[in-house]
Amino acid sequence: MGSAISSIVGSNEPEHYRQLAIKNASLRGQCFEQSRAAYQAGNGAKAKELSNQGKEYGKEMDRYNKMARDMIFKANNSHRPPHELDLHGLKVSEALETTRERLTVFVKNKERSLVIIVGQGNNSMNKIAKIKPAVTQLVQDFHVKATPNKPNAGCIYIEPAQGEADIGWIDDFFRGLFNFVASFFRSRS
């Protein structure tokens, strides 16, 4: 994990934040385990205190992961055109959150194309892609056409679904016609 992230960003900062997140996750788990033990021993006040402490460690874990994610994302995407989204170095959950946000904008703005760079899994454990299948599944929730392996094996090419022409003007036309006819007949009565 570390070498892939470090080489992407050019420093160890994101890896440092990931390590801090891992440390806080471990401390959170210890607090929750101790909280359960205190509760089972009948010490509700200590259980509550440890539970709250565990929640604080969880917040710190999330904060450090977000810092690492933001640094990695910025390093990978600041030089890319707006129709490209590079997810290298992100955790699967982070990649899905980022993709969901970007696809929402894509659909809302009726964009023509988007290339989601998911990689081939070369930096994943056992060289098995994790982001690509997860993003492929997520894309199905949006009314878009997704072409895997375009422009290359580490990408998913997104475009509006076939037959998705902008026909909103038809609704506007008939709404205006209805209002005109209704007002015409109202003025006659």
Side-chain angles (χ1 to χ4, degrees), residues 88-122:
H88 278 102
L90 299 180
K91 294 180 173 199
V92 174
S93 60
E94 295 167 344
L96 290 175
E97 178 183 346
T98 301
T99 302
R100 185 176 292 108
E101 290 169 1
R102 183 61 182 90
L103 284 172
T104 300
V105 171
F106 175 84
V107 170
K108 179 182 175 198
N109 294 343
K110 299 177 180 157
E111 296 178 31
R112 294 180 59 187
S113 67
L114 173 66
V115 176
I116 303 174
I117 303 166
V118 293
Q120 298 180 46
N122 292 333

mmCIF file of all heavy atoms in Angstrom, residues 88-122:
data_model
loop_
_atom_site.group_PDB
_atom_site.id
_atom_site.type_symbol
_atom_site.label_atom_id
_atom_site.label_comp_id
_atom_site.label_asym_id
_atom_site.label_seq_id
_atom_site.Cartn_x
_atom_site.Cartn_y
_atom_site.Cartn_z
ATOM 1 N N HIS A 88 -7.022 6.000 -8.716
ATOM 2 C CA HIS A 88 -5.852 5.289 -8.201
ATOM 3 C C HIS A 88 -5.522 5.713 -6.776
ATOM 4 O O HIS A 88 -5.594 6.891 -6.446
ATOM 5 C CB HIS A 88 -4.626 5.560 -9.084
ATOM 6 C CG HIS A 88 -4.558 4.726 -10.303
ATOM 7 N ND1 HIS A 88 -4.910 5.207 -11.541
ATOM 8 C CD2 HIS A 88 -4.181 3.438 -10.477
ATOM 9 C CE1 HIS A 88 -4.747 4.256 -12.431
ATOM 10 N NE2 HIS A 88 -4.305 3.170 -11.820
ATOM 11 N N GLY A 89 -5.156 4.754 -5.952
ATOM 12 C CA GLY A 89 -4.699 5.035 -4.595
ATOM 13 C C GLY A 89 -5.797 5.202 -3.566
ATOM 14 O O GLY A 89 -5.513 5.281 -2.381
ATOM 15 N N LEU A 90 -7.051 5.260 -4.007
ATOM 16 C CA LEU A 90 -8.158 5.414 -3.063
ATOM 17 C C LEU A 90 -8.622 4.054 -2.570
ATOM 18 O O LEU A 90 -8.487 3.041 -3.259
ATOM 19 C CB LEU A 90 -9.333 6.140 -3.723
ATOM 20 C CG LEU A 90 -9.071 7.552 -4.238
ATOM 21 C CD1 LEU A 90 -10.339 8.121 -4.863
ATOM 22 C CD2 LEU A 90 -8.574 8.455 -3.130
ATOM 23 N N LYS A 91 -9.198 4.036 -1.388
ATOM 24 C CA LYS A 91 -9.856 2.823 -0.899
ATOM 25 C C LYS A 91 -11.133 2.634 -1.714
ATOM 26 O O LYS A 91 -11.658 3.593 -2.285
ATOM 27 C CB LYS A 91 -10.208 2.970 0.578
ATOM 28 C CG LYS A 91 -9.017 3.059 1.484
ATOM 29 C CD LYS A 91 -9.492 3.208 2.919
ATOM 30 C CE LYS A 91 -8.320 3.120 3.866
ATOM 31 N NZ LYS A 91 -8.766 2.822 5.221
ATOM 32 N N VAL A 92 -11.656 1.434 -1.738
ATOM 33 C CA VAL A 92 -12.855 1.146 -2.524
ATOM 34 C C VAL A 92 -14.004 2.051 -2.087
ATOM 35 O O VAL A 92 -14.689 2.650 -2.927
ATOM 36 C CB VAL A 92 -13.256 -0.348 -2.424
ATOM 37 C CG1 VAL A 92 -14.583 -0.597 -3.113
ATOM 38 C CG2 VAL A 92 -12.170 -1.228 -3.025
ATOM 39 N N SER A 93 -14.222 2.201 -0.797
ATOM 40 C CA SER A 93 -15.332 3.040 -0.318
ATOM 41 C C SER A 93 -15.137 4.494 -0.745
ATOM 42 O O SER A 93 -16.096 5.171 -1.117
ATOM 43 C CB SER A 93 -15.470 2.944 1.199
ATOM 44 O OG SER A 93 -14.281 3.382 1.838
ATOM 45 N N GLU A 94 -13.902 4.978 -0.730
ATOM 46 C CA GLU A 94 -13.621 6.345 -1.150
ATOM 47 C C GLU A 94 -13.838 6.500 -2.654
ATOM 48 O O GLU A 94 -14.375 7.509 -3.110
ATOM 49 C CB GLU A 94 -12.172 6.710 -0.807
ATOM 50 C CG GLU A 94 -11.895 6.734 0.674
ATOM 51 C CD GLU A 94 -10.424 6.790 1.012
ATOM 52 O OE1 GLU A 94 -9.570 6.524 0.142
ATOM 53 O OE2 GLU A 94 -10.120 7.104 2.180
ATOM 54 N N ALA A 95 -13.414 5.491 -3.408
ATOM 55 C CA ALA A 95 -13.596 5.525 -4.862
ATOM 56 C C ALA A 95 -15.080 5.535 -5.212
ATOM 57 O O ALA A 95 -15.512 6.256 -6.116
ATOM 58 C CB ALA A 95 -12.900 4.336 -5.509
ATOM 59 N N LEU A 96 -15.868 4.754 -4.484
ATOM 60 C CA LEU A 96 -17.313 4.706 -4.753
ATOM 61 C C LEU A 96 -17.981 6.036 -4.411
ATOM 62 O O LEU A 96 -18.822 6.529 -5.166
ATOM 63 C CB LEU A 96 -17.961 3.562 -3.980
ATOM 64 C CG LEU A 96 -17.607 2.161 -4.468
ATOM 65 C CD1 LEU A 96 -18.207 1.110 -3.544
ATOM 66 C CD2 LEU A 96 -18.056 1.952 -5.892
ATOM 67 N N GLU A 97 -17.609 6.623 -3.296
ATOM 68 C CA GLU A 97 -18.179 7.914 -2.896
ATOM 69 C C GLU A 97 -17.830 8.990 -3.936
ATOM 70 O O GLU A 97 -18.690 9.759 -4.365
ATOM 71 C CB GLU A 97 -17.643 8.320 -1.523
ATOM 72 C CG GLU A 97 -18.138 9.654 -1.034
ATOM 73 C CD GLU A 97 -17.518 10.044 0.309
ATOM 74 O OE1 GLU A 97 -16.912 9.203 0.983
ATOM 75 O OE2 GLU A 97 -17.650 11.229 0.663
ATOM 76 N N THR A 98 -16.581 9.011 -4.348
ATOM 77 C CA THR A 98 -16.120 9.991 -5.340
ATOM 78 C C THR A 98 -16.823 9.776 -6.676
ATOM 79 O O THR A 98 -17.263 10.739 -7.321
ATOM 80 C CB THR A 98 -14.589 9.870 -5.512
ATOM 81 O OG1 THR A 98 -13.962 10.091 -4.241
ATOM 82 C CG2 THR A 98 -14.065 10.861 -6.516
ATOM 83 N N THR A 99 -16.951 8.526 -7.086
ATOM 84 C CA THR A 99 -17.609 8.216 -8.359
ATOM 85 C C THR A 99 -19.083 8.582 -8.319
ATOM 86 O O THR A 99 -19.613 9.149 -9.282
ATOM 87 C CB THR A 99 -17.446 6.717 -8.704
ATOM 88 O OG1 THR A 99 -16.045 6.415 -8.758
ATOM 89 C CG2 THR A 99 -18.089 6.375 -10.022
ATOM 90 N N ARG A 100 -19.743 8.279 -7.214
ATOM 91 C CA ARG A 100 -21.161 8.619 -7.080
ATOM 92 C C ARG A 100 -21.366 10.133 -7.227
ATOM 93 O O ARG A 100 -22.254 10.586 -7.949
ATOM 94 C CB ARG A 100 -21.706 8.134 -5.739
ATOM 95 C CG ARG A 100 -23.205 8.350 -5.560
ATOM 96 C CD ARG A 100 -23.736 7.768 -4.255
ATOM 97 N NE ARG A 100 -23.683 6.310 -4.280
ATOM 98 C CZ ARG A 100 -22.816 5.568 -3.574
ATOM 99 N NH1 ARG A 100 -21.944 6.139 -2.778
ATOM 100 N NH2 ARG A 100 -22.828 4.260 -3.645
ATOM 101 N N GLU A 101 -20.527 10.907 -6.558
ATOM 102 C CA GLU A 101 -20.623 12.370 -6.645
ATOM 103 C C GLU A 101 -20.395 12.843 -8.080
ATOM 104 O O GLU A 101 -21.123 13.684 -8.588
ATOM 105 C CB GLU A 101 -19.597 13.022 -5.709
ATOM 106 C CG GLU A 101 -19.910 12.843 -4.238
ATOM 107 C CD GLU A 101 -18.765 13.255 -3.327
ATOM 108 O OE1 GLU A 101 -17.707 13.713 -3.830
ATOM 109 O OE2 GLU A 101 -18.912 13.100 -2.106
ATOM 110 N N ARG A 102 -19.382 12.276 -8.734
ATOM 111 C CA ARG A 102 -19.037 12.727 -10.091
ATOM 112 C C ARG A 102 -20.102 12.307 -11.099
ATOM 113 O O ARG A 102 -20.432 13.065 -12.019
ATOM 114 C CB ARG A 102 -17.664 12.163 -10.492
ATOM 115 C CG ARG A 102 -17.176 12.625 -11.847
ATOM 116 C CD ARG A 102 -17.021 14.148 -11.883
ATOM 117 N NE ARG A 102 -16.598 14.606 -13.180
ATOM 118 C CZ ARG A 102 -17.442 14.954 -14.169
ATOM 119 N NH1 ARG A 102 -18.746 14.906 -13.985
ATOM 120 N NH2 ARG A 102 -16.978 15.353 -15.330
ATOM 121 N N LEU A 103 -20.669 11.105 -10.955
ATOM 122 C CA LEU A 103 -21.720 10.663 -11.870
ATOM 123 C C LEU A 103 -22.994 11.482 -11.697
ATOM 124 O O LEU A 103 -23.711 11.738 -12.669
ATOM 125 C CB LEU A 103 -22.017 9.172 -11.682
ATOM 126 C CG LEU A 103 -20.998 8.227 -12.284
ATOM 127 C CD1 LEU A 103 -21.300 6.785 -11.873
ATOM 128 C CD2 LEU A 103 -20.940 8.354 -13.797
ATOM 129 N N THR A 104 -23.272 11.910 -10.486
ATOM 130 C CA THR A 104 -24.428 12.765 -10.246
ATOM 131 C C THR A 104 -24.282 14.070 -11.019
ATOM 132 O O THR A 104 -25.226 14.525 -11.676
ATOM 133 C CB THR A 104 -24.593 13.031 -8.734
ATOM 134 O OG1 THR A 104 -24.789 11.778 -8.067
ATOM 135 C CG2 THR A 104 -25.766 13.940 -8.461
ATOM 136 N N VAL A 105 -23.101 14.650 -10.982
ATOM 137 C CA VAL A 105 -22.826 15.879 -11.739
ATOM 138 C C VAL A 105 -22.899 15.596 -13.242
ATOM 139 O O VAL A 105 -23.461 16.385 -14.001
ATOM 140 C CB VAL A 105 -21.446 16.461 -11.348
ATOM 141 C CG1 VAL A 105 -21.039 17.595 -12.271
ATOM 142 C CG2 VAL A 105 -21.456 16.915 -9.895
ATOM 143 N N PHE A 106 -22.344 14.462 -13.662
ATOM 144 C CA PHE A 106 -22.353 14.078 -15.078
ATOM 145 C C PHE A 106 -23.787 14.027 -15.623
ATOM 146 O O PHE A 106 -24.088 14.598 -16.668
ATOM 147 C CB PHE A 106 -21.679 12.703 -15.241
ATOM 148 C CG PHE A 106 -21.736 12.144 -16.624
ATOM 149 C CD1 PHE A 106 -20.793 12.511 -17.573
ATOM 150 C CD2 PHE A 106 -22.729 11.240 -16.991
ATOM 151 C CE1 PHE A 106 -20.833 11.992 -18.862
ATOM 152 C CE2 PHE A 106 -22.779 10.722 -18.270
ATOM 153 C CZ PHE A 106 -21.834 11.096 -19.208
ATOM 154 N N VAL A 107 -24.667 13.378 -14.894
ATOM 155 C CA VAL A 107 -26.059 13.241 -15.331
ATOM 156 C C VAL A 107 -26.775 14.586 -15.265
ATOM 157 O O VAL A 107 -27.471 14.979 -16.206
ATOM 158 C CB VAL A 107 -26.795 12.173 -14.483
ATOM 159 C CG1 VAL A 107 -28.278 12.179 -14.753
ATOM 160 C CG2 VAL A 107 -26.204 10.790 -14.739
ATOM 161 N N LYS A 108 -26.596 15.297 -14.162
ATOM 162 C CA LYS A 108 -27.275 16.584 -13.980
ATOM 163 C C LYS A 108 -26.900 17.575 -15.077
ATOM 164 O O LYS A 108 -27.752 18.283 -15.606
ATOM 165 C CB LYS A 108 -26.922 17.166 -12.614
ATOM 166 C CG LYS A 108 -27.558 18.506 -12.332
ATOM 167 C CD LYS A 108 -27.125 19.055 -10.993
ATOM 168 C CE LYS A 108 -27.679 20.446 -10.801
ATOM 169 N NZ LYS A 108 -26.976 21.177 -9.766
ATOM 170 N N ASN A 109 -25.615 17.623 -15.421
ATOM 171 C CA ASN A 109 -25.133 18.583 -16.417
ATOM 172 C C ASN A 109 -25.211 18.064 -17.848
ATOM 173 O O ASN A 109 -24.774 18.753 -18.769
ATOM 174 C CB ASN A 109 -23.692 18.995 -16.099
ATOM 175 C CG ASN A 109 -23.595 19.770 -14.814
ATOM 176 O OD1 ASN A 109 -24.576 20.288 -14.299
ATOM 177 N ND2 ASN A 109 -22.399 19.852 -14.270
ATOM 178 N N LYS A 110 -25.748 16.860 -18.008
ATOM 179 C CA LYS A 110 -25.905 16.251 -19.339
ATOM 180 C C LYS A 110 -24.590 16.283 -20.121
ATOM 181 O O LYS A 110 -24.541 16.687 -21.278
ATOM 182 C CB LYS A 110 -27.025 16.934 -20.116
ATOM 183 C CG LYS A 110 -28.364 16.798 -19.425
ATOM 184 C CD LYS A 110 -29.449 17.534 -20.151
ATOM 185 C CE LYS A 110 -30.735 17.333 -19.369
ATOM 186 N NZ LYS A 110 -31.725 18.310 -19.582
ATOM 187 N N GLU A 111 -23.535 15.842 -19.454
ATOM 188 C CA GLU A 111 -22.222 15.820 -20.078
ATOM 189 C C GLU A 111 -22.155 14.736 -21.149
ATOM 190 O O GLU A 111 -22.941 13.790 -21.141
ATOM 191 C CB GLU A 111 -21.142 15.606 -19.016
ATOM 192 C CG GLU A 111 -21.070 16.749 -18.016
ATOM 193 C CD GLU A 111 -20.038 16.522 -16.933
ATOM 194 O OE1 GLU A 111 -19.010 15.853 -17.188
ATOM 195 O OE2 GLU A 111 -20.259 17.009 -15.811
ATOM 196 N N ARG A 112 -21.226 14.889 -22.057
ATOM 197 C CA ARG A 112 -21.129 13.985 -23.209
ATOM 198 C C ARG A 112 -20.328 12.727 -22.906
ATOM 199 O O ARG A 112 -20.629 11.660 -23.446
ATOM 200 C CB ARG A 112 -20.518 14.716 -24.389
ATOM 201 C CG ARG A 112 -21.437 15.835 -24.885
ATOM 202 C CD ARG A 112 -20.856 16.570 -26.032
ATOM 203 N NE ARG A 112 -20.605 15.637 -27.120
ATOM 204 C CZ ARG A 112 -19.969 15.934 -28.234
ATOM 205 N NH1 ARG A 112 -19.511 17.142 -28.408
ATOM 206 N NH2 ARG A 112 -19.794 15.039 -29.165
ATOM 207 N N SER A 113 -19.280 12.848 -22.082
ATOM 208 C CA SER A 113 -18.470 11.670 -21.783
ATOM 209 C C SER A 113 -17.685 11.880 -20.499
ATOM 210 O O SER A 113 -17.443 13.012 -20.078
ATOM 211 C CB SER A 113 -17.506 11.356 -22.937
ATOM 212 O OG SER A 113 -16.533 12.370 -23.047
ATOM 213 N N LEU A 114 -17.302 10.762 -19.909
ATOM 214 C CA LEU A 114 -16.485 10.758 -18.703
ATOM 215 C C LEU A 114 -15.644 9.492 -18.737
ATOM 216 O O LEU A 114 -16.167 8.408 -19.007
ATOM 217 C CB LEU A 114 -17.376 10.776 -17.455
ATOM 218 C CG LEU A 114 -16.691 10.609 -16.106
ATOM 219 C CD1 LEU A 114 -15.782 11.810 -15.807
ATOM 220 C CD2 LEU A 114 -17.725 10.450 -15.001
ATOM 221 N N VAL A 115 -14.366 9.629 -18.483
ATOM 222 C CA VAL A 115 -13.484 8.468 -18.383
ATOM 223 C C VAL A 115 -13.140 8.296 -16.905
ATOM 224 O O VAL A 115 -12.552 9.189 -16.293
ATOM 225 C CB VAL A 115 -12.195 8.645 -19.215
ATOM 226 C CG1 VAL A 115 -11.264 7.467 -19.010
ATOM 227 C CG2 VAL A 115 -12.529 8.818 -20.687
ATOM 228 N N ILE A 116 -13.536 7.164 -16.355
ATOM 229 C CA ILE A 116 -13.218 6.851 -14.963
ATOM 230 C C ILE A 116 -12.025 5.901 -14.989
ATOM 231 O O ILE A 116 -12.120 4.782 -15.498
ATOM 232 C CB ILE A 116 -14.411 6.211 -14.229
ATOM 233 C CG1 ILE A 116 -15.632 7.136 -14.291
ATOM 234 C CG2 ILE A 116 -14.034 5.909 -12.783
ATOM 235 C CD1 ILE A 116 -16.894 6.527 -13.707
ATOM 236 N N ILE A 117 -10.917 6.362 -14.443
ATOM 237 C CA ILE A 117 -9.694 5.565 -14.425
ATOM 238 C C ILE A 117 -9.698 4.760 -13.132
ATOM 239 O O ILE A 117 -9.558 5.318 -12.040
ATOM 240 C CB ILE A 117 -8.454 6.474 -14.536
ATOM 241 C CG1 ILE A 117 -8.546 7.318 -15.812
ATOM 242 C CG2 ILE A 117 -7.171 5.646 -14.503
ATOM 243 C CD1 ILE A 117 -7.571 8.469 -15.869
ATOM 244 N N VAL A 118 -9.892 3.463 -13.272
ATOM 245 C CA VAL A 118 -10.020 2.584 -12.117
ATOM 246 C C VAL A 118 -8.790 1.714 -11.898
ATOM 247 O O VAL A 118 -8.633 1.119 -10.845
ATOM 248 C CB VAL A 118 -11.272 1.688 -12.247
ATOM 249 C CG1 VAL A 118 -12.538 2.510 -12.161
ATOM 250 C CG2 VAL A 118 -11.240 0.884 -13.532
ATOM 251 N N GLY A 119 -7.938 1.616 -12.888
ATOM 252 C CA GLY A 119 -6.762 0.764 -12.788
ATOM 253 C C GLY A 119 -7.112 -0.687 -13.052
ATOM 254 O O GLY A 119 -8.274 -1.059 -13.245
ATOM 255 N N GLN A 120 -6.082 -1.486 -13.071
ATOM 256 C CA GLN A 120 -6.249 -2.913 -13.369
ATOM 257 C C GLN A 120 -6.020 -3.786 -12.146
ATOM 258 O O GLN A 120 -6.069 -5.009 -12.234
ATOM 259 C CB GLN A 120 -5.281 -3.319 -14.477
ATOM 260 C CG GLN A 120 -5.532 -2.582 -15.772
ATOM 261 C CD GLN A 120 -4.560 -3.017 -16.850
ATOM 262 O OE1 GLN A 120 -4.328 -4.202 -17.046
ATOM 263 N NE2 GLN A 120 -3.993 -2.049 -17.533
ATOM 264 N N GLY A 121 -5.741 -3.163 -11.008
ATOM 265 C CA GLY A 121 -5.507 -3.936 -9.797
ATOM 266 C C GLY A 121 -4.048 -4.249 -9.545
ATOM 267 O O GLY A 121 -3.728 -5.019 -8.641
ATOM 268 N N ASN A 122 -3.149 -3.656 -10.303
ATOM 269 C CA ASN A 122 -1.724 -3.950 -10.144
ATOM 270 C C ASN A 122 -1.193 -3.592 -8.757
ATOM 271 O O ASN A 122 -0.237 -4.193 -8.295
ATOM 272 C CB ASN A 122 -0.899 -3.222 -11.213
ATOM 273 C CG ASN A 122 -1.168 -3.766 -12.593
ATOM 274 O OD1 ASN A 122 -1.535 -4.925 -12.766
ATOM 275 N ND2 ASN A 122 -1.010 -2.926 -13.593
#
